[in-house]
Amino acid sequence: QVQLVESGGGLVQAGGSLRLSCAASRRIFSINAMAWYRQAPGKQRELVASITSGGDTNYEDSVKGRFTISRDYGKKTVDLQMNSLKPEDTGVYYCNFKGLGYNYWGQGTQVTVSS
């Protein structure tokens, strides 16, 4: 069973930065896309950013210009650089790997932005 392990969450003041990282516990083949989702208290999980195997990226409107997703396809890792953080960015962040016949999720890492 593949596990995705996230790191880098924490508490930061508004305007600060955090970098999230996610790595697979073992080799995965044919990844179509890697992504970061978040879930704020009382809200549904939403897509924050994604990157395809070809390198195409997609961002949720509220994070455009502030967040950057990147991946090391060989190492099967994906990062999320978060700058100019706002209190509304608070939530549990999950990484996700989708491929042929699989859809893996990490356990989540808490990001809290104080005002």
Side-chain angles (χ1 to χ4, degrees):
Q1 180 70 16
V2 174
Q3 291 184 328
L4 301 185
V5 180
E6 298 122 334
S7 60
L11 173 64
V12 65
Q13 287 188 331
S17 298
L18 284 174
R19 187 177 183 89
L20 305 182
S21 295
C22 175
S25 60
R26 62 176 179 85
R27 294 183 70 183
I28 304 177
F29 297 95
S30 302
I31 298 176
N32 291 332
M34 300 173 172
W36 286 95
Y37 289 72
R38 69 184 175 195
Q39 187 165 18
K43 295 188 177 181
Q44 289 188 331
R45 191 175 297 187
E46 64 175 355
L47 177 66
V48 175
S50 64
I51 185 166
T52 68
S53 58
D56 294 327
T57 58
N58 180 55
Y59 295 94
E60 196 269 328
D61 285 345
S62 70
V63 308
K64 287 179 180 177
R66 301 188 296 122
F67 290 11
T68 303
I69 189 170
S70 60
R71 54 104 168 93
D72 185 321
Y73 205 69
K75 294 181 179 179
K76 303 296 187 285
T77 60
V78 62
D79 292 349
L80 185 68
Q81 177 66 43
M82 305 185 294
N83 299 327
S84 302
L85 282 160
K86 304 176 181 180
E88 50 264 41
D89 295 319
T90 294
V92 179
Y93 284 68
Y94 299 88
C95 68
N96 173 259
F97 288 9
K98 286 189 179 69
L100 185 63
Y102 62 82
N103 184 20
Y104 297 130
W105 291 91
Q107 80 287 353
T109 185
Q110 178 70 44
V111 171
T112 303
V113 184
S114 63
S115 58

